[in-house]
Amino acid sequence: MQLPREVIVGKGTLQRIPEVVKRLGLKGPALIVAGKKSYEIAGKTVRDLLEQTGIAVDMLLVQTATIRDVLTIEERITEWKPQVLFGVGGGTKIDATKLSGAHQEIPYISVPTTVSHDGIASPLASLKGLGKPYSIMAQAPLAIIADTEAIAQAPWRSVVSGCGDVMAKFTAVKDWKLAHIKKNEYYGEYAASLALMSAKLVAQNVEVMREGNEEGARVLLEALISCGVAMSIAGSSRPCSGSEHLFSHALDMFKGSQGMHGEQCGVGTIIIAYLYGENWKRIRETLKRLGAPTTARELGAKDEEVVRALDFASTIRPDRYTILQKLNLSYEECTKAAKATQIIS
Ligand SMILES: [Zn+2]
């Protein structure tokens, strides 16, 4: 079990980088991986602060998170021989950093500049071009330094998406438990509770999730970090990713939606909660109050794409037992469920 040694969340926490590297005994050199925008928002500050403490810093800008980006970072690691990596940005930059670091056995520090999904703190990386639409195990961050001031500069939509990704834990945990009962899969009560508690906390704090309210960003950050820790404890994405995620991956594969990851997972959570006979209306209501999409149209998807994604979802990851495998729905039954939950008309 790998867990972060330092988690610092709040206003202006970037300034605490010198103290964190000192406590962790890091003397450098360091390699910062960032996007163009995230370098401006936070990467530059990270670089200045590290250099002030006498740590040699190299910097690499990446645009996407493909296997080619990972290999580029790995090449730079081989040349520069850093003691630590800093992943500065949204999910993609951090994912590329954690995976290249894992391959080269170099720890990384996560410096998120958006809160659109739980990858900012998880040990898993989601990359394009691996032939798998879902995440693979990489490494947990050595530390997480989340500055709410930097995050406040990200589009509000990314916060809404992050909330959707946290709401997904309601059904992810149910799928995990189901796999435990039906397939005797390992189930960790502690990891499951941590993921579930994060979802409950976000649902209870809908009122503070308002644009420009730093308290909202903090609640969401803590929830996302707890989800990351839950995955570290479980040793897999199980507590945080169930059939609602498979639905989102299917939408991505068909390119049938304009939605962000967390937005798609939120809609998936409504429909999977319905299939479980759970209170799907409450989940839908919470998402609506957050301003998150609850219909195919709001995702920018066609009705039939949503049905096709639900129908296809269970085949993406046959090793991951979920309610979709248990029910083995026909296309007509998928249509019925999407209609019943008002996701399609
Ligand atoms: Zn997710």
Side-chain angles (χ1 to χ4, degrees):
M1 195 188 293
Q2 263 188 343
L3 294 173
R5 277 174 58 192
E6 297 251 359
V7 178
I8 301 182
V9 177
K11 202 173 175 172
T13 50
L14 282 182
Q15 298 302 323
R16 293 177 64 185
I17 282 181
E19 133 202 4
V20 173
V21 292
K22 197 174 168 204
R23 267 204 299 276
L24 294 171
L26 300 169
K27 294 190 172 63
L31 174 64
I32 296 173
V33 179
K36 213 173 145 199
K37 209 169 153 199
S38 61
Y39 181 72
E40 286 304 317
I41 292 170
K44 203 176 170 305
T45 310
V46 175
R47 179 180 202 152
D48 291 346
L49 289 166
L50 287 172
E51 283 176 342
Q52 279 166 30
T53 59
I55 290 179
V57 182
D58 194 11
M59 194 264 294
L60 187 63
L61 290 182
V62 292
Q63 275 190 345
T64 50
T66 62
I67 194 69
R68 186 175 295 173
D69 293 305
V70 173
L71 292 173
T72 306
I73 302 169
E74 286 191 52
E75 269 172 36
R76 190 65 71 89
I77 292 173
T78 321
E79 290 158 15
W80 181 243
K81 297 188 178 31
Q83 186 194 13
V84 64
L85 310 177
F86 283 80
V88 182
T92 52
K93 315 298 181 284
I94 292 176
D95 277 357
T97 311
K98 75 174 82 156
L99 193 59
S100 50
H103 288 162
Q104 299 292 326
E105 295 179 24
I106 309 289
Y108 86 102
I109 293 179
S110 173
V111 184
T113 55
T114 68
V115 283
S116 57
H117 60 77
D118 61 24
I120 58 170
S122 81
L124 290 112
S126 170
L127 292 186
K128 292 200 166 64
L130 284 176
K132 292 175 182 176
Y134 50 87
S135 305
I136 53 160
M137 193 49 89
Q139 60 171 331
L142 176 62
I144 302 161
I145 301 165
D147 190 332
T148 48
E149 261 174 350
I151 286 159
Q153 297 178 48
W156 177 246
R157 190 180 167 196
S158 61
V159 175
V160 171
S161 170
C163 291
D165 200 24
V166 176
M167 293 295 287
K169 303 346 174 198
F170 280 121
T171 46
V173 167
K174 289 207 82 71
D175 276 333
W176 194 17
K177 189 139 204 186
L178 183 72
H180 175 62
I181 295 164
K182 294 280 181 188
K183 299 281 165 186
N184 204 22
E185 198 180 299
Y186 158 76
Y187 174 79
E189 192 79 49
Y190 188 85
S193 305
L194 196 55
L196 199 57
M197 190 176 68
S198 305
K200 283 181 183 162
L201 270 172
V202 166
Q204 281 164 13
N205 280 283
V206 172
E207 297 76 35
V208 299
M209 297 293 174
R210 283 190 314 270
E211 195 160 4
N213 186 350
E214 229 175 78
E215 174 71 4
R218 200 186 52 78
V219 170
L220 177 59
L221 261 170
E222 288 181 1
L224 291 171
I225 291 167
S226 301
C227 291
V229 170
M231 288 185 259
S232 290
I233 295 170
S236 80
S237 63
R238 261 298 192 187
C240 296
S241 171
S243 42
E244 75 297 317
H245 269 71
L246 295 174
F247 165 77
S248 170
H249 299 326
L251 276 177
D252 288 338
M253 287 171 83
F254 300 152
K255 299 196 178 9
S257 156
Q258 313 287 319
M260 293 178 74
H261 170 78
E263 293 177 326
Q264 295 176 175
C265 289
V267 171
T269 307
I270 299 173
I271 207 159
I272 303 300
Y274 167 81
L275 295 174
Y276 266 110
E278 287 287 314
N279 193 345
W280 60 272
K281 285 183 182 164
R282 195 161 67 194
I283 288 166
R284 184 167 172 266
E285 190 52 37
T286 306
L287 289 170
K288 266 183 181 287
R289 285 174 66 196
L290 288 162
T294 58
T295 64
R297 184 195 291 248
E298 285 168 3
L299 280 179
K302 291 196 185 104
D303 284 3
E304 53 269 33
E305 295 289 3
V306 164
V307 177
R308 197 153 78 101
L310 184 64
D311 188 36
F312 186 74
S314 67
T315 63
I316 291 178
R317 221 177 152 171
D319 60 315
R320 182 147 286 192
Y321 188 80
T322 68
I323 186 138
L324 292 177
Q325 283 188 20
K326 183 184 172 215
L327 298 177
N328 195 20
L329 302 174
S330 65
Y331 190 87
E332 288 66 38
E333 286 168 320
C334 291
T335 309
K336 214 179 125 202
K339 275 192 177 159
T341 48
Q342 294 162 34
I343 290 167
I344 66 168
S345 47

